[in-house]
Amino acid sequence: GAVVSQHPSWVICKSGTSVKIECRSLDFQATTMFWYRQFPKQSLMLMATSNEGSKATYEQGVEKDKFLINHASLTLSTLTVTSAHPEDSSFYICSARAASGRRETQYFGPGTRLLVL
Amino acid sequence: GNSVTQMEGPVTLSEEAFLTINCTYTATGYPSLFWYVQYPGEGLQLLLKATKADDKGSNKGFEATYRKETTSFHLEKGSVQVSDSAVYFCALRGGKLSFGAGTTVTVRA
């Protein structure tokens, strides 16, 4: 099946620094990528939807200036957590929808665990 | 808005035991329903889905039936294996995907 990778798988950073997480579709082209955030024992919460070459659409309550999303190519999207603080510590998961696939087919990455000290 | 509530875990079973994970939903309209599975160290994978009432999704011995009258989509497997140890997420699509909190299942040999 289709594969989505994320890098890094986990990261520890100091408060105030920025962290970039990459999401790649390895064997297909993704016109749409999604970024989710998951707190312990809670649901995946959609943060934003990005389409290749256009600005991301953020969900209500998600700060677009804090969580910068770039979807520069059909195989790569990045999420940058700017000026990270301990409350940004979480598990971030990306998902990609194939350009030629059915609307309901989303492939998920393994997630990136972020710990802000 | 749309929401999904699923059985809290963790669930620990012996091999060949019967597994049920309850899932109920709240949605407007007629959403599609899904079960995703996440094995250790991997991304979520679609396990099965149902797109309309009374549909039964099935895969790898797992089944779930879309019950509109009870707004439920319970996941069942008659005889689990150690390899079924994973986190299971119930989800619905009414525009975008909405997930339950996930249920961790551990199967012991």
Side-chain angles (χ1 to χ4, degrees):
Chain A
V3 177
V4 175
S5 71
Q6 282 184 241
H7 178 80
S9 56
W10 65 279
V11 57
I12 301 174
C13 70
K14 293 181 179 179
S15 186
T17 61
S18 295
V19 174
K20 179 183 284 188
I21 302 170
E22 292 186 348
C23 175
R24 293 180 184 273
S25 55
L26 299 184
D27 53 359
F28 67 100
Q29 293 185 325
T31 49
T32 305
M33 286 188 170
F34 307 86
W35 286 95
Y36 295 85
R37 183 174 179 180
Q38 185 181 26
F39 293 100
K41 298 185 179 180
Q42 294 188 28
S43 304
L44 279 72
M45 301 300 297
L46 181 64
M47 298 174 66
T49 303
S50 72
N51 292 295
E52 185 263 339
S54 62
K55 291 184 178 180
T57 301
Y58 290 80
E59 295 299 303
Q60 190 173 12
V62 178
E63 299 176 59
K64 63 180 181 180
D65 294 330
K66 181 164 188 64
F67 298 99
L68 300 179
I69 292 172
N70 185 289
H71 190 168
S73 77
L74 285 172
T75 59
L76 174 65
S77 176
T78 60
L79 167 67
T80 301
V81 183
T82 62
S83 187
H85 289 93
E87 59 265 29
D88 299 323
S89 299
S90 191
F91 194 54
Y92 294 88
I93 301 171
C94 76
S95 175
R97 188 160 68 205
S100 58
R102 295 170 60 185
R103 183 175 177 274
E104 294 188 342
T105 305
Q106 278 183 234
Y107 303 97
F108 288 81
T112 297
R113 189 164 300 282
L114 170 64
L115 177 61
V116 184
L117 301 177
Chain B
N2 296 337
S3 67
V4 177
T5 302
Q6 68 180 95
M7 180 175 135
E8 282 191 28
V11 174
T12 303
L13 303 164
S14 297
E15 264 193 321
E16 300 183 2
F18 184 85
L19 170 67
T20 298
I21 304 176
N22 289 340
C23 171
T24 56
Y25 67 90
T26 302
T28 54
Y30 303 95
S32 294
L33 301 175
F34 306 84
W35 276 100
Y36 283 85
V37 58
Q38 185 175 31
Y39 299 105
E42 299 183 18
L44 274 72
Q45 302 173 23
L46 180 62
L47 179 60
L48 53 83
K49 68 178 182 182
T51 58
K52 61 182 187 296
D54 300 326
D55 266 3
K56 177 186 284 187
S58 61
N59 186 24
K60 298 182 180 180
F62 290 89
E63 292 184 341
T65 301
Y66 190 144
R67 300 287 188 198
K68 184 170 178 289
E69 63 277 14
T70 55
T71 61
S72 65
F73 193 54
H74 305 321
L75 182 69
E76 296 181 338
K77 184 171 185 178
S79 177
V80 294
Q81 304 300 313
V82 173
S83 57
D84 293 324
S85 299
V87 182
Y88 293 83
F89 293 90
C90 186
L92 70 82
R93 179 185 294 283
K96 58 188 178 186
L97 276 175
S98 298
F99 289 89
T103 302
T104 300
V105 174
T106 302
V107 181
R108 294 180 174 170

